[in-house]
């Protein structure tokens, strides 16, 4: 009740502020049901729900921002990579930290949904409609968090496995004017040994960059 009362202060004196998203979504419909019943206590609980929805969106935004940064990061050396990995973990936390934060947000929404089902002060018809809408919004929160986290997890895995620029550079050579055999170590290689393993084309044009895989 204390949380609901505090949340009510976020609006005007009637506990009636604008919907956090728009006037046409599930949240707006839920809010109009509450207003029609003129129950300030239920409106206060609705403000708590709104704040949770905003916290979910803030969490999604933070995850997406970190994902973009991870995808754009390159390292010059192995030392740079180790430092970047440590700095990212120290600043933003681990996967486990995200699991805990997202789980807590969803748990709080489940608690408010349970409260609406079991101790709502609204008429039965309004309660049933409100619970249905709240369940839809809960599913939306779960879906948005899942989508954001999945993209983050993929980005972090790529970040953790990304080669430093120095590791790439030492594997690469520019083909000189005399051809592939002019590269040190390639003098005795047969023609089939200079076929690109990715595009299956012969690598032979002077000026092209040839990169050798560790497997040869």
């Amino acid at each position: 009740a204390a949380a609901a009362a505090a949340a009510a202060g976020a609006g005007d004196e009637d506990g009636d502020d604008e919907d956090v998203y728009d006037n046409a979504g599930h949240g707006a419909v839920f809010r109009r049901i509450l207003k029609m019943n003129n129950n300030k206590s239920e409106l206060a609980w609705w403000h708590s729900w709104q704040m949770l929805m905003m916290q979910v969106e803030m969490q999604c935004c933070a995850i997406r921002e970190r994902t973009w940064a991870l995808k754009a990061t390159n390292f010059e050396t192995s030392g740079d990579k180790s430092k970047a990995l440590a700095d990212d973990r120290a600043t933003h936390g681990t996967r486990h930290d995200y699991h805990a934060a997202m789980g807590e947000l969803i748990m709080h929404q489940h608690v408010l949904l349970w409260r609406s089902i079991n101790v709502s002060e609204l008429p039965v018809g309004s309660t049933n409609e409100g619970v249905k809408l709240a369940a839809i919004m809960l599913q939306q929160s779960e879906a948005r968090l899942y989508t954001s986290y999945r993209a983050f997890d993929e980005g972090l895995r790529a970040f953790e496995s990304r080669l430093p620029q120095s590791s790439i550079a030492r594997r690469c050579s520019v083909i000189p004017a005399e051809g592939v055999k002019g590269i040190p170590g390639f003098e005795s290689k047969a023609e089939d040994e200079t076929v690109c393993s990715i595009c299956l084309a012969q690598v032979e044009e002077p000026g092209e960059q040839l990169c050798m895989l560790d497997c040869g």
Side-chain angles (χ1 to χ4, degrees), residues 31-191:
R31 180 169 168 270
R32 284 197 290 272
I33 291 173
L34 296 173
K35 288 179 66 178
M36 285 189 296
N37 286 275
N38 196 29
N39 187 307
K40 291 185 178 181
S41 174
E42 291 295 327
L43 275 172
W45 282 108
W46 170 237
H47 284 298
S48 295
W49 182 276
Q50 284 185 303
M51 287 194 296
L52 275 174
M53 294 290 288
M54 289 299 295
Q55 288 172 3
V56 166
E57 192 59 32
M58 289 170 61
Q59 181 72 56
C60 289
C61 288
I63 293 174
R64 289 195 295 269
E65 185 176 5
R66 183 182 181 186
T67 302
W68 293 333
L70 292 175
K71 289 182 176 181
T73 301
N74 291 306
F75 326 102
E76 287 300 320
T77 65
S78 297
D80 293 338
K81 178 178 179 178
S82 297
K83 184 178 185 303
L85 288 168
D87 289 347
D88 176 74
R89 190 173 296 113
T91 302
H92 300 289
T94 63
R95 291 180 176 88
H96 176 75
D97 294 326
Y98 274 164
H99 295 166
M102 293 187 297
E104 184 175 1
L105 288 170
I106 295 302
M107 180 196 69
H108 288 163
Q109 285 191 323
H110 274 284
V111 169
L112 288 183
L113 181 58
W114 178 92
R115 184 227 158 250
S116 295
I117 294 172
N118 291 279
V119 294
S120 173
E121 298 176 7
L122 298 176
V124 174
S126 296
T127 295
N128 290 341
E129 184 65 19
V131 166
K132 181 178 73 173
L133 293 168
I136 292 173
M137 288 186 283
L138 174 58
Q139 291 173 347
Q140 289 175 334
S141 292
E142 291 173 334
R144 290 181 69 78
L145 285 169
Y146 170 76
T147 300
S148 297
Y149 179 81
R150 184 179 62 180
F152 156 73
D153 185 56
E154 291 174 356
L156 183 58
R157 290 178 188 276
F159 177 77
E160 292 170 336
S161 61
R162 189 168 299 139
L163 286 174
Q165 295 296 314
S166 59
S167 295
I168 298 173
R170 67 181 175 82
R171 292 172 168 84
C172 297
S173 302
V174 176
I175 300 177
E178 58 269 30
V180 175
K181 293 185 180 296
I183 299 174
F186 281 73
E187 298 88 350
S188 60
K189 286 190 179 293
E191 187 172 308

Side-chain angles (χ1 to χ4, degrees), residues 12-30:
D12 57 28
E13 60 184 6
D14 294 322
D16 178 22
D17 60 358
E18 293 301 316
D19 189 74
V20 291
Y21 293 125
D22 54 44
N23 293 318
H26 297 302
V29 176
F30 194 0

